[in-house]
Amino acid sequence: MNLPTVISELVKAQNNFDSAAYVRCFTETAVVFDEGKTHNGRVEIEQWIDKSNKEYQASMKPLDYDEKENILSAEIDGSFPGSPVILKFHFQLSNGLIQSLNITE
């Protein structure tokens, strides 16, 4: 699977539960939409992923990547009800970083 470098780095950071490396994949003004909540900017994104890592220990296994739409389908396995699940990660990239991420089922 041919993933953009920043998405490969995001997957690696997630699987290492490395919140600092995860947030470095985003622009300063990035926005993440997940579970009905919006996280604006690197500080909020780092708080969100750090809390998620501690609570769920979720790992990502990329399954498919739509290069045209910048959508990654991945199996997410962790300590949450219904695990594992397949989620879609809708990316908007800017200058090699993530400007927007919307996580859907």
Side-chain angles (χ1 to χ4, degrees):
M1 186 175 329
N2 188 19
L3 294 175
T5 301
V6 71
I7 296 176
S8 293
E9 290 171 4
L10 183 88
V11 171
K12 180 180 175 186
Q14 178 60 56
N15 291 337
N16 289 331
F17 311 113
D18 185 342
S19 302
Y22 189 97
V23 81
R24 284 194 300 270
C25 295
F26 291 85
T27 67
E28 288 292 333
T29 59
V31 179
V32 172
F33 305 96
D34 182 41
E35 296 187 85
K37 295 183 179 145
T38 302
H39 310 280
N40 294 293
R42 281 186 171 171
V43 171
E44 283 186 23
I45 293 169
E46 186 169 12
Q47 291 169 346
W48 159 75
I49 198 60
D50 192 53
K51 182 178 182 218
S52 178
N53 283 341
K54 288 175 181 167
E55 284 184 34
Y56 305 119
Q57 294 281 299
S59 61
M60 291 177 77
K61 178 184 171 188
L63 301 174
D64 185 55
Y65 182 67
D66 181 336
E67 291 183 43
K68 186 176 177 188
E69 299 294 326
N70 282 328
I71 299 172
L72 173 68
S73 296
E75 182 180 275
I76 309 303
D77 190 15
S79 60
F80 54 88
S83 177
V85 297
I86 295 175
L87 297 177
K88 292 190 182 298
F89 295 78
H90 305 255
F91 294 97
Q92 287 184 355
L93 304 179
S94 176
N95 297 320
L97 294 173
I98 300 163
Q99 179 60 47
S100 170
L101 170 58
N102 185 12
I103 303 170
T104 62
E105 290 187 20

